[in-house]
């Protein structure tokens, strides 16, 4: 599969901050709710991998709230990797590693990064194509340790429809910029998870009509 295309102009917005740090308003809005959800479902210890970590605002909060896990952020964009590392230096957490370069839409990384007790993916599936999204899920399932957990957060269509006017507008704006991307249907994503070999899929309702899907790897 080809490397991930650049994200649409209106997606994944981040502003310049102090030094190398970038600031994403959406991350500021949802970090507390996502952190609480992970606190409720995460294993007490082990290895945690965040896919497409973005600015680094999230993973610092996750590592602080879940100190028993060793957190590995990842990101394809070098400017965002620099931002992640800048936030990490400021936080000075012993369980947070430097960001690694990783194209999560490419094949093969799941086996190379195997043994993860927790994998977290926030707000990416609607920004990539359906084949890319399915590849991400397949590789993430391969990277899970036995009984490891995969948490996917973001907006989803339900029965092919957005759940609010705001979601409808954003979905339409994404599709206008690139017809291959946009919100994925919940039932379709659940099917991709089952096809990838994970089970015990649970759906957790989150603020702003978002969901967190939590799937468990085979024992």
């Amino acid at each position: 599969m080809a490397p991930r295309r650049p994200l649409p102009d209106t997606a994944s917005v981040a502003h310049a901050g102090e030094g190398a740090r970038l600031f994403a308003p959406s991350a500021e809005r949802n970090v507390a709710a996502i952190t609480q959800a992970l606190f409720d479902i995460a294993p007490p210890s082990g290895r945690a991998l965040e896919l497409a970590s973005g600015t680094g605002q999230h993973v610092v909060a996750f590592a602080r709230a879940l100190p028993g896990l060793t957190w590995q952020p990842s990101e394809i964009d070098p400017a965002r990797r620099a931002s992640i590392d800048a936030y990490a230096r400021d936080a000075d957490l012993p369980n947070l590693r430097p960001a690694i370069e990783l194209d999560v839409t490419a094949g093969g990384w799941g086996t190379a990064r195997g043994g993860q007790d927790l994998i977290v993916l926030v707000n990416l599936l609607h920004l990539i194509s359906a084949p890319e999204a399915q590849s991400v899920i397949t590789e993430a399932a391969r990277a899970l340790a036995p009984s490891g957990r995969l948490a996917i957060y973001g907006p989803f269509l339900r029965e092919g429809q957005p759940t609010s006017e705001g979601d409808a507008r954003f979905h339409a704006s994404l599709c206008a910029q690139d017809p291959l991307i946009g919100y994925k249907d919940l039932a379709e994503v659940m099917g991709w998870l089952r096809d990838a070999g994970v089970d015990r899929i649970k759906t957790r309702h989150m603020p702003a009509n978002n969901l967190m899907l939590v799937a468990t790897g085979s024992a």
Side-chain angles (χ1 to χ4, degrees):
M1 179 174 293
R4 193 205 314 171
R5 300 182 309 280
L7 297 180
D9 292 339
T10 58
S12 193
V13 175
H15 307 295
E18 183 179 351
R21 288 186 297 177
L22 301 172
F23 178 82
S26 62
E28 182 70 15
R29 289 193 299 269
N30 61 33
V31 64
I34 298 172
T35 302
Q36 180 60 58
L38 293 178
F39 186 84
D40 293 342
I41 63 97
S45 62
R47 299 168 62 195
L49 172 65
E50 187 188 24
L51 305 177
S53 297
T55 63
Q57 292 163 257
H58 280 148
V59 75
V60 167
F62 302 161
R64 185 177 288 118
L66 296 161
L69 292 167
T70 299
W71 285 87
Q72 176 63 73
S74 67
E75 176 58 50
I76 190 173
D77 181 353
R80 297 194 176 210
R81 289 198 303 275
S83 177
I84 295 164
D85 290 342
Y87 277 107
R89 283 192 299 271
D90 289 344
D92 193 25
L93 298 170
N95 62 324
L96 180 55
R97 294 179 173 175
I100 58 170
E101 180 179 1
L102 182 62
D103 178 1
V104 296
T105 66
W109 66 262
T111 301
R113 295 284 167 186
Q116 304 295 330
D117 299 289
L118 177 66
I119 297 177
V120 179
L121 178 67
V122 174
N123 280 340
L124 180 68
L125 295 189
H126 59 292
L127 304 180
I128 58 179
S129 69
E132 288 171 327
Q134 188 169 12
S135 177
V136 171
I137 288 172
T138 298
E139 294 299 325
R142 289 174 179 161
L144 286 176
S147 299
R149 293 182 177 178
L150 169 61
I152 301 175
Y153 169 92
F156 297 89
L157 302 176
R158 275 76 145 187
E159 298 182 351
Q161 299 298 319
T163 57
S164 71
E165 290 185 7
D167 279 338
R169 287 193 298 270
F170 187 40
H171 173 60
S173 73
L174 292 173
C175 294
Q177 292 177 76
D178 185 342
L180 296 179
I181 69 171
Y183 286 23
K184 308 301 181 287
D185 190 78
L186 176 61
E188 185 174 38
V189 175
M190 298 276 273
W192 294 340
L193 287 165
R194 287 190 290 268
D195 290 345
V198 295
D199 54 18
R200 290 179 279 169
I201 306 167
K202 297 182 179 180
T203 303
R204 180 177 179 132
H205 291 272
M206 303 289 288
N209 300 310
N210 290 321
L211 298 173
M212 180 176 283
L213 307 183
V214 182
T216 304
S218 300

